[in-house]
C-alpha cells in the first residue's frame, strides 16, 4: 500500500514444472469425420509467469484498477497421432494479457442511491487452442466495454445499462480441429443490455 493508502500494488512471480500433466482437448477421432473431447497426458510442461495488480483511489469518487499477466509455457514429450509436438506452448495460455478499469461514482441527492460509471478495456494475446495445428492459434482480443449502474442507498435494488465490445471488434474466441480442417467460433459482436437486480 502506497501514497497514504490510496494505491495498492500486488505482484506475484511463479515457476511450475509439471510431470504427466493431463489436459482435455477437442480433437479428431480416427475413422470419423468429427471429433470429441479427449484426455491427453503431456510428458512434462514448464510454466513461468508474472502477475501484477493495482488499485488506485484517485479521489473519493474516482478509482482505477487493473492487472497484467505474463506467461511463458512449453510442453515436452507430447505425442499425438504419432507426431512429436514438443516445444509448443500450452493451449489457452496467452503470453500477455491485461485489463484496466475506471470507475466514477456520483451520489444522488435525497438519499436516492448513486450512479457508477465504468469503462473497461481488456487485451488477450494470441493463444493456441490445439497442439496438432498452428492454425488453431487465434489472434489477439481487444475489447472495450462500459456500464452505467444505479444502486439504491440500501444496496437492495440496482439497474445497469451496459455495452460490451463497443468497437465491434471481430475476433475468434475458440477454434477446434474437426475432420481435415480447423473450425473457429466468433466472439460476440457489439452488444447492449439492461440488467436489474433485487436483493432479499
Amino acid at each position: 500500500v502506497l501514497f497514504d493508502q490510496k494505491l495498492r500494488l500486488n505482484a506475484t512471480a511463479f515457476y511450475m514444472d509439471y510431470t504427466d500433466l493431463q489436459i482435455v482437448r477437442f480433437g479428431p477421432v480416427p475413422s470419423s469425420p468429427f471429433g470429441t473431447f479427449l484426455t491427453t497426458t503431456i510428458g512434462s510442461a514448464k510454466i513461468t509467469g508474472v502477475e501484477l495488480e493495482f488499485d488506485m483511489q484517485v479521489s473519493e469518487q474516482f478509482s482505477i484498477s487493473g492487472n497484467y499477466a505474463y506467461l511463458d509455457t512449453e510442453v515436452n514429450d507430447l505425442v499425438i497421432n504419432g507426431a512429436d509436438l514438443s516445444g509448443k506452448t500450452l493451449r489457452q495460455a496467452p503470453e500477455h494479457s491485461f485489463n484496466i478499469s475506471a470507475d466514477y461514482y456520483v451520489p444522488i441527492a435525497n438519499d436516492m442511491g448513486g450512479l457508477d460509471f465504468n469503462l473497461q478495456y481488456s487485451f488477450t494475446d494470441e493463444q493456441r487452442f490445439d497442439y496438432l495445428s498452428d492454425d488453431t492459434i487465434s489472434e489477439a482480443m481487444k475489447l472495450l466495454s462500459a456500464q452505467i449502474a444505479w444502486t439504491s442507498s440500501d444496496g437492495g435494488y440496482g439497474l445497469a445499462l451496459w455495452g460490451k465490445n463497443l468497437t465491434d471488434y471481430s475476433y475468434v474466441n475458440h477454434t477446434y480441429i474437426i475432420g481435415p480442417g480447423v473450425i473457429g467460433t466468433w466472439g460476440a459482436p457489439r452488444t447492449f443490455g439492461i440488467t436489474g437486480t433485487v436483493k432479499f
Side-chain angles (χ1 to χ4, degrees):
V1 179
L2 302 171
F3 301 112
D4 195 25
Q5 298 187 347
K6 292 183 178 180
L7 174 62
R8 187 182 72 236
L9 296 174
N10 295 319
T12 304
F14 54 89
Y15 172 78
M16 292 178 282
D17 192 347
Y18 287 98
T19 300
D20 297 330
L21 174 65
Q22 285 193 331
I23 59 168
V24 177
R25 48 179 289 273
F26 190 91
V29 178
S31 72
S32 171
F34 301 102
T36 187
F37 286 98
L38 305 168
T39 299
T40 302
T41 299
I42 299 176
S44 64
K46 296 180 180 180
I47 305 174
T48 303
V50 175
E51 294 181 354
L52 304 173
E53 295 180 340
F54 81 92
D55 191 340
M56 182 169 58
Q57 195 70 38
V58 181
S59 68
E60 185 175 337
Q61 295 173 274
F62 182 49
S63 63
I64 303 175
S65 61
N67 59 72
Y68 166 77
Y70 167 79
L71 285 176
D72 181 21
T73 65
E74 182 181 54
V75 302
N76 292 294
D77 305 319
L78 175 61
V79 178
I80 300 177
N81 298 345
D84 185 356
L85 304 173
S86 299
K88 294 185 179 292
T89 58
L90 281 169
R91 62 184 298 273
Q92 291 183 280
E95 184 176 15
H96 302 281
S97 60
F98 70 86
N99 177 84
I100 186 167
S101 178
D103 285 273
Y104 190 81
Y105 181 78
V106 179
I108 302 176
N110 301 320
D111 201 26
M112 295 293 293
L115 292 173
D116 182 70
F117 297 83
N118 173 265
L119 186 65
Q120 185 174 121
Y121 179 79
S122 64
F123 171 86
T124 304
D125 212 348
E126 64 178 26
Q127 55 186 314
R128 173 186 303 281
F129 287 100
D130 197 87
Y131 301 97
L132 280 175
S133 173
D134 287 347
D135 290 336
T136 64
I137 298 177
S138 68
E139 295 183 355
M141 293 186 292
K142 307 169 186 176
L143 302 178
L144 179 67
S145 301
Q147 176 177 276
I148 302 174
W150 167 80
T151 304
S152 62
S153 57
D154 62 359
Y157 301 91
L159 188 65
L161 171 65
W162 50 264
K164 299 181 180 180
N165 192 9
L166 294 179
T167 62
D168 204 22
Y169 185 77
S170 297
Y171 65 98
V172 175
N173 64 359
H174 213 295
T175 58
Y176 306 88
I177 296 179
I178 300 180
V182 174
I183 293 178
T185 57
W186 289 102
R190 183 189 294 120
T191 307
F192 297 98
I194 299 176
T195 302
T197 57
V198 178
K199 294 182 181 179
F200 297 96

